[in-house]
Amino acid sequence: MTVEESLKILYIEDDPDAFIFLKTILERKIQKNIEIIWSPTGKEALKILRRQQMDLIFLDFLLPDIDGIKIIEKIREEGIIVPIVMITGRGGEEIAAEAFKKGVIDYMVKNYENINELERCLHS
């Protein structure tokens, strides 16, 4: 990535406050150009992914139209290859295991303790 290029991240999350929080944290922590695009639904996320290439996806598990596991499947079915990190307030070991089987590179629970983990994901 050159200095002029930005890191493009898609955050698929139905809670606008969670998006604003993550966007603010990442913009403060990352010392390079970063573009964070928000999609509140899986359907909208697929439209975005068909139009433009992303460098990383942050994905919530519970969305209003589809769950995170199914959106991962749809992304892969369309041949879209991009690293995915699942960030969820709900879930557990079973969901995490299924997400890893579907190809996520990381799985995090939404909480303040995991904020520093986000930067690690950007360098994976």
Side-chain angles (χ1 to χ4, degrees), residues 67-88:
D67 73 47
I69 300 299
K70 287 187 177 80
I71 191 69
I72 294 167
E73 291 171 350
K74 289 188 176 294
I75 289 169
R76 298 303 186 226
E77 284 170 9
E78 295 206 15
I80 300 167
I81 306 301
V82 59
I84 301 172
V85 175
M86 186 169 280
I87 304 177
T88 185

PDB file of all heavy atoms in Angstrom, residues 67-88:
ATOM      1  N   ASP A  67     -27.727 -13.821   9.431  1.00  0.00           N
ATOM      2  CA  ASP A  67     -26.707 -13.906  10.488  1.00  0.00           C
ATOM      3  C   ASP A  67     -25.307 -13.905   9.863  1.00  0.00           C
ATOM      4  O   ASP A  67     -25.140 -14.102   8.657  1.00  0.00           O
ATOM      5  CB  ASP A  67     -26.932 -15.100  11.420  1.00  0.00           C
ATOM      6  CG  ASP A  67     -26.615 -16.448  10.806  1.00  0.00           C
ATOM      7  OD1 ASP A  67     -25.546 -16.598  10.188  1.00  0.00           O
ATOM      8  OD2 ASP A  67     -27.436 -17.379  10.970  1.00  0.00           O
ATOM      9  N   GLY A  68     -24.318 -13.654  10.688  1.00  0.00           N
ATOM     10  CA  GLY A  68     -22.945 -13.508  10.224  1.00  0.00           C
ATOM     11  C   GLY A  68     -22.396 -14.721   9.498  1.00  0.00           C
ATOM     12  O   GLY A  68     -21.645 -14.591   8.527  1.00  0.00           O
ATOM     13  N   ILE A  69     -22.767 -15.901   9.936  1.00  0.00           N
ATOM     14  CA  ILE A  69     -22.285 -17.124   9.280  1.00  0.00           C
ATOM     15  C   ILE A  69     -22.815 -17.193   7.854  1.00  0.00           C
ATOM     16  O   ILE A  69     -22.074 -17.485   6.907  1.00  0.00           O
ATOM     17  CB  ILE A  69     -22.698 -18.383  10.077  1.00  0.00           C
ATOM     18  CG1 ILE A  69     -22.122 -18.357  11.504  1.00  0.00           C
ATOM     19  CG2 ILE A  69     -22.302 -19.656   9.322  1.00  0.00           C
ATOM     20  CD1 ILE A  69     -20.604 -18.322  11.589  1.00  0.00           C
ATOM     21  N   LYS A  70     -24.084 -16.882   7.678  1.00  0.00           N
ATOM     22  CA  LYS A  70     -24.679 -16.937   6.339  1.00  0.00           C
ATOM     23  C   LYS A  70     -24.098 -15.869   5.420  1.00  0.00           C
ATOM     24  O   LYS A  70     -23.911 -16.113   4.225  1.00  0.00           O
ATOM     25  CB  LYS A  70     -26.192 -16.823   6.431  1.00  0.00           C
ATOM     26  CG  LYS A  70     -26.821 -18.095   6.985  1.00  0.00           C
ATOM     27  CD  LYS A  70     -28.325 -18.022   6.902  1.00  0.00           C
ATOM     28  CE  LYS A  70     -28.954 -19.313   7.372  1.00  0.00           C
ATOM     29  NZ  LYS A  70     -29.042 -19.458   8.803  1.00  0.00           N
ATOM     30  N   ILE A  71     -23.789 -14.690   5.950  1.00  0.00           N
ATOM     31  CA  ILE A  71     -23.199 -13.653   5.091  1.00  0.00           C
ATOM     32  C   ILE A  71     -21.789 -14.060   4.662  1.00  0.00           C
ATOM     33  O   ILE A  71     -21.382 -13.812   3.524  1.00  0.00           O
ATOM     34  CB  ILE A  71     -23.246 -12.246   5.732  1.00  0.00           C
ATOM     35  CG1 ILE A  71     -22.884 -11.155   4.706  1.00  0.00           C
ATOM     36  CG2 ILE A  71     -22.298 -12.118   6.885  1.00  0.00           C
ATOM     37  CD1 ILE A  71     -23.857 -10.933   3.629  1.00  0.00           C
ATOM     38  N   ILE A  72     -21.046 -14.716   5.545  1.00  0.00           N
ATOM     39  CA  ILE A  72     -19.724 -15.225   5.152  1.00  0.00           C
ATOM     40  C   ILE A  72     -19.883 -16.200   3.988  1.00  0.00           C
ATOM     41  O   ILE A  72     -19.148 -16.130   2.997  1.00  0.00           O
ATOM     42  CB  ILE A  72     -19.012 -15.918   6.335  1.00  0.00           C
ATOM     43  CG1 ILE A  72     -18.674 -14.918   7.435  1.00  0.00           C
ATOM     44  CG2 ILE A  72     -17.730 -16.615   5.853  1.00  0.00           C
ATOM     45  CD1 ILE A  72     -18.267 -15.563   8.750  1.00  0.00           C
ATOM     46  N   GLU A  73     -20.850 -17.110   4.098  1.00  0.00           N
ATOM     47  CA  GLU A  73     -21.096 -18.085   3.028  1.00  0.00           C
ATOM     48  C   GLU A  73     -21.429 -17.385   1.709  1.00  0.00           C
ATOM     49  O   GLU A  73     -20.910 -17.746   0.654  1.00  0.00           O
ATOM     50  CB  GLU A  73     -22.228 -19.029   3.422  1.00  0.00           C
ATOM     51  CG  GLU A  73     -21.855 -19.970   4.545  1.00  0.00           C
ATOM     52  CD  GLU A  73     -23.041 -20.755   5.098  1.00  0.00           C
ATOM     53  OE1 GLU A  73     -24.209 -20.447   4.736  1.00  0.00           O
ATOM     54  OE2 GLU A  73     -22.800 -21.683   5.889  1.00  0.00           O
ATOM     55  N   LYS A  74     -22.283 -16.366   1.775  1.00  0.00           N
ATOM     56  CA  LYS A  74     -22.680 -15.643   0.563  1.00  0.00           C
ATOM     57  C   LYS A  74     -21.494 -14.894  -0.052  1.00  0.00           C
ATOM     58  O   LYS A  74     -21.331 -14.878  -1.269  1.00  0.00           O
ATOM     59  CB  LYS A  74     -23.839 -14.686   0.846  1.00  0.00           C
ATOM     60  CG  LYS A  74     -25.149 -15.409   1.101  1.00  0.00           C
ATOM     61  CD  LYS A  74     -26.290 -14.434   1.193  1.00  0.00           C
ATOM     62  CE  LYS A  74     -27.609 -15.147   1.346  1.00  0.00           C
ATOM     63  NZ  LYS A  74     -27.994 -15.931   0.175  1.00  0.00           N
ATOM     64  N   ILE A  75     -20.677 -14.295   0.788  1.00  0.00           N
ATOM     65  CA  ILE A  75     -19.491 -13.585   0.300  1.00  0.00           C
ATOM     66  C   ILE A  75     -18.583 -14.563  -0.440  1.00  0.00           C
ATOM     67  O   ILE A  75     -18.112 -14.290  -1.543  1.00  0.00           O
ATOM     68  CB  ILE A  75     -18.744 -12.898   1.468  1.00  0.00           C
ATOM     69  CG1 ILE A  75     -19.555 -11.700   1.979  1.00  0.00           C
ATOM     70  CG2 ILE A  75     -17.337 -12.472   1.051  1.00  0.00           C
ATOM     71  CD1 ILE A  75     -19.045 -11.123   3.297  1.00  0.00           C
ATOM     72  N   ARG A  76     -18.341 -15.715   0.163  1.00  0.00           N
ATOM     73  CA  ARG A  76     -17.458 -16.712  -0.459  1.00  0.00           C
ATOM     74  C   ARG A  76     -18.082 -17.315  -1.726  1.00  0.00           C
ATOM     75  O   ARG A  76     -17.378 -17.560  -2.707  1.00  0.00           O
ATOM     76  CB  ARG A  76     -17.108 -17.814   0.543  1.00  0.00           C
ATOM     77  CG  ARG A  76     -16.348 -17.328   1.765  1.00  0.00           C
ATOM     78  CD  ARG A  76     -15.061 -16.621   1.399  1.00  0.00           C
ATOM     79  NE  ARG A  76     -14.296 -16.298   2.599  1.00  0.00           N
ATOM     80  CZ  ARG A  76     -13.737 -15.121   2.833  1.00  0.00           C
ATOM     81  NH1 ARG A  76     -13.831 -14.153   1.958  1.00  0.00           N
ATOM     82  NH2 ARG A  76     -13.056 -14.911   3.939  1.00  0.00           N
ATOM     83  N   GLU A  77     -19.413 -17.541  -1.713  1.00  0.00           N
ATOM     84  CA  GLU A  77     -20.097 -18.073  -2.899  1.00  0.00           C
ATOM     85  C   GLU A  77     -19.921 -17.155  -4.101  1.00  0.00           C
ATOM     86  O   GLU A  77     -19.877 -17.607  -5.244  1.00  0.00           O
ATOM     87  CB  GLU A  77     -21.605 -18.253  -2.628  1.00  0.00           C
ATOM     88  CG  GLU A  77     -21.933 -19.453  -1.782  1.00  0.00           C
ATOM     89  CD  GLU A  77     -23.395 -19.476  -1.331  1.00  0.00           C
ATOM     90  OE1 GLU A  77     -24.201 -18.636  -1.826  1.00  0.00           O
ATOM     91  OE2 GLU A  77     -23.726 -20.316  -0.489  1.00  0.00           O
ATOM     92  N   GLU A  78     -19.850 -15.852  -3.838  1.00  0.00           N
ATOM     93  CA  GLU A  78     -19.684 -14.885  -4.922  1.00  0.00           C
ATOM     94  C   GLU A  78     -18.226 -14.719  -5.334  1.00  0.00           C
ATOM     95  O   GLU A  78     -17.918 -13.905  -6.194  1.00  0.00           O
ATOM     96  CB  GLU A  78     -20.295 -13.542  -4.526  1.00  0.00           C
ATOM     97  CG  GLU A  78     -21.789 -13.648  -4.355  1.00  0.00           C
ATOM     98  CD  GLU A  78     -22.520 -12.345  -4.577  1.00  0.00           C
ATOM     99  OE1 GLU A  78     -21.933 -11.412  -5.142  1.00  0.00           O
ATOM    100  OE2 GLU A  78     -23.693 -12.284  -4.186  1.00  0.00           O
ATOM    101  N   GLY A  79     -17.332 -15.492  -4.704  1.00  0.00           N
ATOM    102  CA  GLY A  79     -15.924 -15.439  -5.072  1.00  0.00           C
ATOM    103  C   GLY A  79     -15.186 -14.222  -4.537  1.00  0.00           C
ATOM    104  O   GLY A  79     -14.121 -13.879  -5.034  1.00  0.00           O
ATOM    105  N   ILE A  80     -15.757 -13.575  -3.553  1.00  0.00           N
ATOM    106  CA  ILE A  80     -15.128 -12.396  -2.956  1.00  0.00           C
ATOM    107  C   ILE A  80     -14.154 -12.877  -1.891  1.00  0.00           C
ATOM    108  O   ILE A  80     -14.544 -13.524  -0.926  1.00  0.00           O
ATOM    109  CB  ILE A  80     -16.186 -11.443  -2.355  1.00  0.00           C
ATOM    110  CG1 ILE A  80     -17.141 -10.974  -3.460  1.00  0.00           C
ATOM    111  CG2 ILE A  80     -15.523 -10.276  -1.644  1.00  0.00           C
ATOM    112  CD1 ILE A  80     -18.397 -10.294  -2.959  1.00  0.00           C
ATOM    113  N   ILE A  81     -12.887 -12.584  -2.111  1.00  0.00           N
ATOM    114  CA  ILE A  81     -11.842 -13.010  -1.190  1.00  0.00           C
ATOM    115  C   ILE A  81     -11.341 -11.782  -0.443  1.00  0.00           C
ATOM    116  O   ILE A  81     -10.712 -10.901  -1.034  1.00  0.00           O
ATOM    117  CB  ILE A  81     -10.674 -13.695  -1.938  1.00  0.00           C
ATOM    118  CG1 ILE A  81     -11.179 -14.847  -2.802  1.00  0.00           C
ATOM    119  CG2 ILE A  81      -9.601 -14.147  -0.947  1.00  0.00           C
ATOM    120  CD1 ILE A  81     -11.900 -15.945  -2.049  1.00  0.00           C
ATOM    121  N   VAL A  82     -11.651 -11.727   0.828  1.00  0.00           N
ATOM    122  CA  VAL A  82     -11.227 -10.626   1.688  1.00  0.00           C
ATOM    123  C   VAL A  82     -11.184 -11.165   3.124  1.00  0.00           C
ATOM    124  O   VAL A  82     -12.048 -11.960   3.506  1.00  0.00           O
ATOM    125  CB  VAL A  82     -12.183  -9.410   1.551  1.00  0.00           C
ATOM    126  CG1 VAL A  82     -13.602  -9.762   1.913  1.00  0.00           C
ATOM    127  CG2 VAL A  82     -11.712  -8.222   2.359  1.00  0.00           C
ATOM    128  N   PRO A  83     -10.198 -10.773   3.908  1.00  0.00           N
ATOM    129  CA  PRO A  83     -10.156 -11.227   5.300  1.00  0.00           C
ATOM    130  C   PRO A  83     -11.378 -10.711   6.073  1.00  0.00           C
ATOM    131  O   PRO A  83     -11.787  -9.558   5.898  1.00  0.00           O
ATOM    132  CB  PRO A  83      -8.867 -10.616   5.854  1.00  0.00           C
ATOM    133  CG  PRO A  83      -8.072 -10.199   4.668  1.00  0.00           C
ATOM    134  CD  PRO A  83      -9.049  -9.950   3.561  1.00  0.00           C
ATOM    135  N   ILE A  84     -11.925 -11.568   6.927  1.00  0.00           N
ATOM    136  CA  ILE A  84     -13.109 -11.218   7.717  1.00  0.00           C
ATOM    137  C   ILE A  84     -12.811 -11.450   9.194  1.00  0.00           C
ATOM    138  O   ILE A  84     -12.302 -12.499   9.573  1.00  0.00           O
ATOM    139  CB  ILE A  84     -14.332 -12.067   7.299  1.00  0.00           C
ATOM    140  CG1 ILE A  84     -14.660 -11.855   5.819  1.00  0.00           C
ATOM    141  CG2 ILE A  84     -15.546 -11.744   8.183  1.00  0.00           C
ATOM    142  CD1 ILE A  84     -15.723 -12.797   5.274  1.00  0.00           C
ATOM    143  N   VAL A  85     -13.179 -10.449  10.003  1.00  0.00           N
ATOM    144  CA  VAL A  85     -13.094 -10.558  11.456  1.00  0.00           C
ATOM    145  C   VAL A  85     -14.516 -10.439  11.989  1.00  0.00           C
ATOM    146  O   VAL A  85     -15.203  -9.456  11.702  1.00  0.00           O
ATOM    147  CB  VAL A  85     -12.222  -9.430  12.062  1.00  0.00           C
ATOM    148  CG1 VAL A  85     -12.245  -9.496  13.585  1.00  0.00           C
ATOM    149  CG2 VAL A  85     -10.794  -9.512  11.532  1.00  0.00           C
ATOM    150  N   MET A  86     -14.970 -11.441  12.731  1.00  0.00           N
ATOM    151  CA  MET A  86     -16.290 -11.363  13.332  1.00  0.00           C
ATOM    152  C   MET A  86     -16.168 -10.685  14.690  1.00  0.00           C
ATOM    153  O   MET A  86     -15.363 -11.094  15.521  1.00  0.00           O
ATOM    154  CB  MET A  86     -16.932 -12.743  13.467  1.00  0.00           C
ATOM    155  CG  MET A  86     -18.362 -12.668  13.962  1.00  0.00           C
ATOM    156  SD  MET A  86     -19.249 -14.231  13.845  1.00  0.00           S
ATOM    157  CE  MET A  86     -19.674 -14.227  12.109  1.00  0.00           C
ATOM    158  N   ILE A  87     -16.958  -9.630  14.873  1.00  0.00           N
ATOM    159  CA  ILE A  87     -17.010  -8.909  16.141  1.00  0.00           C
ATOM    160  C   ILE A  87     -18.464  -8.943  16.588  1.00  0.00           C
ATOM    161  O   ILE A  87     -19.326  -8.416  15.896  1.00  0.00           O
ATOM    162  CB  ILE A  87     -16.565  -7.438  15.981  1.00  0.00           C
ATOM    163  CG1 ILE A  87     -15.170  -7.349  15.372  1.00  0.00           C
ATOM    164  CG2 ILE A  87     -16.608  -6.724  17.328  1.00  0.00           C
ATOM    165  CD1 ILE A  87     -14.702  -5.930  15.108  1.00  0.00           C
ATOM    166  N   THR A  88     -18.728  -9.556  17.724  1.00  0.00           N
ATOM    167  CA  THR A  88     -20.122  -9.706  18.133  1.00  0.00           C
ATOM    168  C   THR A  88     -20.297  -9.528  19.626  1.00  0.00           C
ATOM    169  O   THR A  88     -19.392  -9.802  20.412  1.00  0.00           O
ATOM    170  CB  THR A  88     -20.671 -11.082  17.682  1.00  0.00           C
ATOM    171  OG1 THR A  88     -22.056 -11.151  17.986  1.00  0.00           O
ATOM    172  CG2 THR A  88     -19.919 -12.221  18.331  1.00  0.00           C
TER     173      THR A  88
END
